[in-house]
Amino acid sequence: QVQLVESGGGLVQAGGSLGLSCAASGRTFSTYAMGWFRQAPGKEREFVAAISWSDGSIYYADSVKGRFTISRDNAKNTVYLQMDSLKPEDTAVYYCATRSATGYYTFASFYHYWGQGTQVTVSS
């Protein structure tokens, strides 16, 4: 089992910034990658960003590329998501998740453990 705790959500005006963090505990040695997903009301959960735990390869959704930055701290088993130039359409509950195998990092169904989510609201 892997436990994930997200923090850092909140309310921000359009154009502002927020930083999210996700701390993992438990059987973290089984983690190959960590990802961020988001889900807005009435919409499906969508991929935001992912980072490989082994080689640091990074993946972004086109909608956030150039505005969001994912990073990791292996020693702390923590992944971060820095969100800049936020837009109202970024409003969603943001979830972090871990994947215990390589590949398919952009697909939510391939992730094994999920955090409880943190609300991000961007006002216009």
Side-chain angles (χ1 to χ4, degrees), residues 56 110 121:
F110 283 90
T121 302

Side-chain angles (χ1 to χ4, degrees), residues 47-98:
F47 169 74
V48 175
I51 186 166
S52 166
W53 224 240
S54 58
D55 63 9
S57 298
I58 288 174
Y59 309 84
Y60 292 106
D62 288 342
S63 59
V64 306
K65 202 171 293 183
R67 300 188 298 120
F68 290 12
T69 303
I70 189 171
S71 61
R72 62 178 182 172
D73 184 331
N74 288 35
K76 296 182 179 180
N77 289 320
T78 299
V79 65
Y80 305 94
L81 186 68
Q82 178 63 35
M83 304 182 293
D84 299 319
S85 302
L86 282 161
K87 304 175 181 179
E89 51 263 44
D90 294 319
T91 295
V93 177
Y94 282 70
Y95 299 89
C96 70
T98 64

Side-chain angles (χ1 to χ4, degrees), residues 3-20:
Q3 294 78 43
L4 302 172
V5 178
E6 300 117 334
S7 60
L11 174 64
V12 65
Q13 288 189 332
S17 298
L18 275 177
L20 305 181

